[in-house]
Amino acid sequence: MTGLDPETLSGADAARLLAAFAEIERLASAGKLLSARRVESSNVWRRSGHRSAAAHVAEATGTGI
């Protein structure tokens, strides 16, 4: 698949995809949170040269602190 063209989907298919993507997003967010907590408690962020666990997570996820 090279891309998603919503205009080619039926309404029912779009609704199913929406639900699936929402579930994926929920699971991914939970996984990120659990992993970030472990990064903090393990101090791996210090060994990788970051000033804080938040800085490590921000770099890893491409987000701000």
Side-chain angles (χ1 to χ4, degrees), residues 1 3-11 13-14 17:
M1 181 185 212
L4 175 63
D5 183 1
E7 296 303 315
T8 64
L9 301 172
S10 70
D13 286 343
L17 274 178

Side-chain angles (χ1 to χ4, degrees), residues 46 53-54 62 64:
R46 287 180 197 218

Side-chain angles (χ1 to χ4, degrees), residues 7-54:
E7 296 303 315
T8 64
L9 301 172
S10 70
D13 286 343
R16 281 190 288 277
L17 274 178
L18 176 62
F21 286 136
E23 179 67 6
I24 291 166
E25 183 176 39
R26 185 186 68 75
L27 292 170
S29 293
K32 281 175 34 180
L33 177 62
L34 293 171
S35 298
R37 287 181 181 167
R38 182 61 183 136
V39 164
E40 181 178 26
S41 69
S42 71
N43 289 320
V44 69
W45 56 273
R46 287 180 197 218
R47 292 189 296 276
S48 62
H50 291 92
R51 297 179 74 163
S52 67

